Amino acid sequence: MNNIKNKFKKALKTINSNSQLKWGCILLCFIIIMIIITPFITKYSPYEISCDMLLPPNPDNILGTDGLGKDVFSMILYGARTSITIGLISALISGVIGTFIGGIAGFVGGKVDAVISEIINIFLMIPTFFLILMIVAIFGSSMFNVMLVLGLTSWPSNARLMRVEALSLKERTFVKSSIAIGESNWKILFNYIIPNGIYPIISNTTLSISGAILTEASLSFLGLGDPNIVSWGQMIFDGKSYMATAPWITTFSGLAILILVVSFYLIGDGLNVVLNPKLKNVNK
């Protein structure tokens, strides 16, 4: 129990040491709390259609209603779950693939590194958003497909970071000692290379959550999102026809995207400073 308390205190101290990380965590915690209490503070289902169409913000519908009479406040709160889920899972897929591939390239080196580096460069040259558009248009726009495609197209940046870390770490004494005593390459990779080189990946993956959220919102705005779920991008797409008469639909959903993206950006940038000793010293 004392060990858990010490770790918690250390985590709080780390968060408080960087203003960006602190404010990012505050924003994200606020959003998560709102998501948890959503069933208790919303009067309407986000899918409930009514005759009260395009009502401005009022005591009963605090953020107004859309063109189908659906409550905008409920849609925004339930849409937060969609955005966070897509962002986290797609970033996790990207982080795992990028870490594994980049670790192998940097640690093994030689022809393996050359081939993997060329594959990474090819992926980096491809206009990712248009590739995502084509894949989603061909295979469907379900939430699962969107998360999978986002994860499978955003791993090269993590792979490059992990490759650089692996190239540096394999020259360290503790890694060479492990090679000398005959430990297997896989054991060295997973026990020494990846655990010690994962810190830049953590901060970059956190930043990529923001990118995934924006990409999903862009797909939904273009009509390629999952029509069976509530999405902020879908809300903006539906509300653009009513910009002159009911601007609150797109305004509030756009602000929600902005706040969530900024929170993850602040956390990712703060983690980059906290986990990077050079940047930490500069910050001081």
Side-chain angles (χ1 to χ4, degrees), residues 56-206:
N58 60 80
D60 196 41
N61 306 99
I62 59 175
L63 296 183
T65 60
D66 68 357
L68 296 175
K70 293 185 286 187
D71 183 57
V72 173
F73 181 62
S74 298
M75 294 173 70
I76 285 178
L77 290 180
Y78 281 95
R81 297 182 181 183
T82 302
S83 294
I84 290 179
T85 301
I86 289 175
L88 287 175
I89 294 179
S90 60
L92 181 63
I93 294 171
S94 170
V96 171
I97 295 174
T99 300
F100 182 69
I101 293 177
I104 291 176
F107 178 60
V108 176
K111 293 182 178 180
V112 174
D113 182 26
V115 171
I116 293 177
S117 296
E118 288 302 318
I119 293 173
I120 292 173
N121 291 333
I122 291 171
F123 268 88
L124 289 172
M125 288 188 294
I126 296 174
T128 307
F129 186 72
F130 293 103
L131 176 63
I132 293 171
L133 282 178
M134 290 189 294
I135 294 175
V136 169
I138 294 171
F139 294 101
S141 56
S142 68
M143 185 174 173
F144 174 80
N145 286 348
V146 171
M147 291 187 295
L148 190 62
V149 169
L150 289 175
L152 292 176
T153 54
S154 59
W155 61 266
S157 60
N158 286 322
R160 283 201 306 177
L161 287 172
M162 191 65 227
R163 175 181 173 274
V164 171
E165 292 294 318
L167 287 170
S168 174
L169 287 167
K170 74 177 183 179
E171 300 299 327
R172 301 285 181 86
T173 304
F174 67 94
V175 174
K176 289 188 174 182
S177 299
S178 301
I179 296 172
I181 63 175
E183 288 193 36
S184 67
N185 289 338
W186 289 112
K187 187 175 181 180
I188 295 172
L189 179 65
F190 286 105
N191 288 353
Y192 306 115
I193 301 295
I194 290 178
N196 287 285
I198 197 68
Y199 300 110
I201 310 300
I202 294 173
S203 58
N204 188 66
T205 300
T206 307

Side-chain angles (χ1 to χ4, degrees), residues 273 276-284:
V273 173
N276 190 325
K278 294 180 182 179
L279 292 178
K280 191 174 181 180
N281 292 332
V282 170
N283 191 51
K284 287 181 179 179

